[in-house]
């Protein structure tokens, strides 16, 4: 996230909503406060999303994230 990023606020709301349905832990990183970590992770655009096997740059509609999460859980062995 970044200060004054309206898309970041929307992204957080969407992720928190998805975390109620999926096994999802939401951690927010302020890219300005933690600039070194953001750089090391290759984050240059807010919002960005990091999953176990994928990084998405820029705002994503919840439906896109939900498709990814649904696909990911389909391959999870209990």
């Amino acid at each position: 996230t970044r200060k004054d990023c309206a898309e970041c606020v929307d992204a957080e709301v969407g992720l928190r909503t998805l975390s109620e349905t999926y096994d999802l832990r939401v951690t927010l990183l302020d890219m300005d406060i933690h600039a070194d970590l953001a750089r090391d992770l290759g984050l240059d655009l807010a919002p960005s999303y990091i999953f176990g096997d994928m990084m998405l740059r820029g705002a994503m509609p919840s439906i896109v994230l939900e498709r990814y999460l649904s696909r990911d859980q389909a391959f999870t062995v209990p």
Side-chain angles (χ1 to χ4, degrees):
T1 63
R2 284 209 157 111
K3 183 179 178 183
D4 300 325
C5 172
E7 291 179 325
C8 294
V9 174
D10 295 340
E12 180 181 355
V13 169
L15 287 170
R16 300 252 182 235
T17 300
L18 288 172
S19 73
E20 295 171 4
T21 304
Y22 296 93
D23 183 19
L24 178 67
R25 186 178 101 199
V26 177
T27 302
L28 300 179
L29 168 73
D30 185 309
M31 294 169 59
D32 296 319
I33 294 173
H34 303 284
D36 291 343
L37 179 57
R39 184 192 63 244
D40 291 348
L41 291 171
L43 301 174
D44 61 347
L45 184 63
S48 290
Y49 309 81
I50 299 176
F51 295 98
D53 63 347
M54 178 172 63
M55 183 170 75
L56 302 170
R57 296 176 60 241
M60 294 290 146
S62 290
I63 189 69
V64 172
L65 299 174
E66 189 168 10
R67 284 186 195 151
Y68 167 77
L69 293 168
S70 295
R71 180 207 70 180
D72 193 47
Q73 286 193 350
F75 297 104
T76 302
V77 177

